[in-house]
Amino acid sequence: MPRNENPIEKTESLGHLVKVQQVIDFMVLSDLMNGQRYHSEMEQFITQTLGNGVGVNDAYFSKRLQTLYENGHVTRHWEGDNRYNRFYKITDAGIEYFKLMLRELPARVGRAKQVYDRFDSYLEKFGHVNLK
């Protein structure tokens, strides 16, 4: 069979399955469905929910919150003179975005789990090979 005639066709890219930004946006908005939260509270919520010491890079998390604000999905405000820690609250547009992700993410996560399970099986073929 010629090299360019592949019977297995690529229909999506690995990086498109579930993006980090989707995970963060979903977790932030789901937490905000329970009321307004501080930046640090949401960051702790994500770390606790994901477990195993997995959290979010602080600069990236701040950037995602900024994007959610710019897109009208959240509002933010400061309490008193403390400009470091902001309160965030979900908007109606944020609720709609959350509902959209709630419809789309389960299938994406299921597909990602299948792909990673297959990759994990592939890795097992190599055992604990010492490549030195």
Side-chain angles (χ1 to χ4, degrees), residues 2 10 20 33 76 82 104 121 123:
K10 180 175 82 171
V20 172
M33 294 291 279
R76 64 183 184 193
N82 184 355
E104 292 180 355
S121 294
L123 282 173

Side-chain angles (χ1 to χ4, degrees), residues 32-116:
L32 291 176
M33 294 291 279
N34 297 314
Q36 67 180 11
R37 299 279 188 264
Y38 280 118
H39 174 274
S40 60
E41 290 175 315
M42 291 184 290
E43 198 169 4
Q44 289 172 358
F45 166 74
I46 291 170
T47 302
Q48 289 171 347
T49 302
L50 296 179
N52 295 320
V54 174
V56 181
N57 174 287
D58 191 51
Y60 186 74
F61 187 60
S62 294
K63 183 173 172 52
R64 286 310 311 156
L65 290 174
Q66 175 70 24
T67 301
L68 287 169
Y69 171 74
E70 289 171 355
N71 291 338
H73 297 136
V74 298
T75 59
R76 64 183 184 193
H77 68 277
W78 293 270
E79 188 173 276
D81 288 337
N82 184 355
R83 295 275 178 189
Y84 171 73
N85 210 354
R86 299 175 181 169
F87 266 121
Y88 289 84
K89 187 175 180 181
I90 195 168
T91 64
D92 290 341
I95 292 170
E96 291 306 312
Y97 178 44
F98 175 75
K99 289 177 181 177
L100 173 68
M101 287 189 295
L102 192 55
R103 286 190 300 270
E104 292 180 355
L105 282 176
R108 287 178 181 251
V109 169
R111 180 81 173 120
K113 285 171 67 175
Q114 288 174 344
V115 169
Y116 281 114

